[in-house]
Amino acid sequence: MKVNVNGSLVPGDEAKISVFDHGVLYGDGVFEGIRLYNGRVFALDEHLRRLEESAKYILLPLPCSLQQLETEILDAIRANDLRDGYIRLVVTRGAGTLGLNPFKCPKPSYFIIVDTIALYSPELYKNGMAIITVPTQRNMSEAVSPRVKSLNYLNNILAKIEALNAGFEEAIMLNKYGFVAECTGDNIFIVKDATIVTPPAYMGALEGITRNCVMRLATQKGYNVKQRVISRHDLFCADECFLTGTAAEVIPVTVIDGRPIGSGKPGSITRDVISLFHSHVQSSGTPVYS
Ligand code: PMP
């Protein structure tokens, strides 16, 4: 495997960053997970624009232009000769002193990993997953904006631990008002009376690129799609539920907190959304090998 570290492609086991990097010391940095389908990078512009916005929010200058990052992503994929895979683009504050001060880190660092990924088992995609709500609340937007895709994932990791300890693979995180924000690494949708609903970003969700794509595709297909506040009551009484994310793609949820959702099987609208998404990603995106 070849990894791009600060602009140079090196073998995976030689890809290193400094122990003084504030990305390591404090989780001070931003990242993107990007998908490669059928030799095309899915939604590359959207990912780069979100990276730019995340960096802006934490006052981190990007190490080079978005155009340059795009070129280096495409080069890294070619160097690994993959047609389907997952790209992790990380920008950190860079090496500095042993204090929080980000302004003592003169140069941001970055790296690009190209690999394959399979987040959940094929059975879960077919039969749906059981998930739970957990006590750890989503970060308040007044503390760290949940819209920034930062390297500091402890909030989500704590929620993930609670789910895993209880025997579940994913957790629904509520915000401080008790409304649904998102899952630890995915956005959440419910279907109620044929309307597809997801919480607005200000409820504590990352504005997922898969989420936005699914909303667009479903609207084009003629579904009613709404961003609306979702309570646990809405979850429990939903007809269908599914999660979206770059790594997870679109996955049905059939049980929440021990309660079957709808029929307890992946719903027909969920299955339609999954097939719309799969056919869309095969033929859209930035071609790598042309
Ligand atoms: N929420 C969180 C907390 C995430 O980390 C992610 C990405 N894994 C998502 C939602 C989904 O976003 P996207 O569709 O852009 O991958």
Side-chain angles (χ1 to χ4, degrees):
M1 180 205 289
K2 290 275 172 52
V3 176
N4 176 321
V5 182
N6 293 317
S8 303
L9 280 166
V10 297
D13 56 0
E14 289 171 28
K16 296 188 170 73
I17 63 162
S18 165
V19 294
F20 297 100
D21 194 303
H22 280 210
V24 177
L25 290 175
Y26 301 115
D28 186 353
V30 295
F31 77 101
E32 284 296 319
I34 307 168
R35 199 87 184 210
L36 173 70
Y37 290 107
N38 194 25
R40 294 164 174 272
V41 187
F42 179 63
L44 184 53
D45 278 0
E46 282 107 309
H47 281 288
L48 289 172
R49 274 190 272 116
R50 187 171 66 184
L51 182 86
E52 187 179 39
E53 197 167 306
S54 294
K56 192 167 183 177
Y57 172 75
I58 67 162
L59 217 64
L60 170 66
L62 287 179
C64 57
S65 67
L66 296 187
Q67 182 59 53
Q68 179 67 22
L69 283 175
E70 170 165 346
T71 303
E72 293 189 18
I73 287 169
L74 298 179
D75 285 346
I77 296 168
R78 286 186 209 108
N80 286 286
D81 199 22
L82 280 177
R83 293 191 66 79
D84 289 276
Y86 177 86
I87 300 132
R88 177 61 61 92
L89 166 62
V90 179
V91 182
T92 74
R93 191 72 67 176
T97 53
L98 291 178
L100 287 178
N101 191 342
F103 305 127
K104 291 195 173 163
C105 305
K107 200 159 161 262
S109 307
Y110 68 103
F111 53 90
I112 303 165
I113 304 170
V114 182
D115 205 347
T116 52
I117 195 164
L119 203 58
Y120 300 119
S121 70
E123 289 73 46
L124 291 180
Y125 286 93
K126 189 162 160 262
N127 302 325
M129 64 193 311
I131 62 176
I132 55 169
T133 53
V134 292
T136 294
Q137 295 176 349
R138 192 72 180 99
N139 274 335
M140 289 185 300
S141 47
E142 297 86 342
V144 178
S145 167
R147 289 173 61 188
V148 62
K149 202 160 167 57
S150 87
L151 289 183
N152 197 320
Y153 255 57
L154 275 179
N155 180 220
N156 309 52
I157 288 167
L158 289 172
K160 184 90 173 177
I161 287 171
E162 285 162 356
L164 292 169
N165 280 349
F168 297 89
E169 291 209 43
E170 183 53 297
I172 299 172
M173 300 181 77
L174 308 176
N175 64 20
K176 66 174 171 177
Y177 303 108
F179 292 113
V180 174
E182 61 176 344
C183 291
T184 67
D186 311 311
N187 291 109
I188 187 164
F189 287 76
I190 58 170
V191 179
K192 181 72 178 175
D193 298 332
T195 299
I196 300 174
V197 185
T198 194
Y202 63 76
M203 293 310 284
L206 181 77
E207 217 171 294
I209 282 157
T210 320
R211 164 192 187 268
N212 291 354
C213 173
V214 158
M215 288 199 290
R216 227 172 21 245
L217 293 174
T219 305
Q220 279 162 12
K221 178 86 189 281
Y223 287 112
N224 201 3
V225 180
K226 291 227 155 39
Q227 294 187 52
R228 219 161 54 196
V229 173
I230 296 178
S231 64
R232 292 177 83 222
H233 180 112
D234 298 323
L235 288 179
F236 298 157
C237 299
D239 301 326
E240 303 181 24
C241 179
F242 61 88
L243 311 183
T244 63
T246 296
E249 304 179 289
V250 185
I251 183 157
V253 170
T254 45
V255 179
I256 299 176
D257 291 344
R259 297 156 179 260
I261 301 304
S263 66
K265 298 209 165 68
S268 60
I269 294 181
T270 299
R271 282 188 274 112
D272 197 21
V273 165
I274 291 173
S275 83
L276 284 174
F277 181 75
H278 282 309
S279 46
H280 176 71
V281 297
Q282 288 300 316
S283 56
S284 71
T286 309
V288 180
Y289 295 103
S290 60

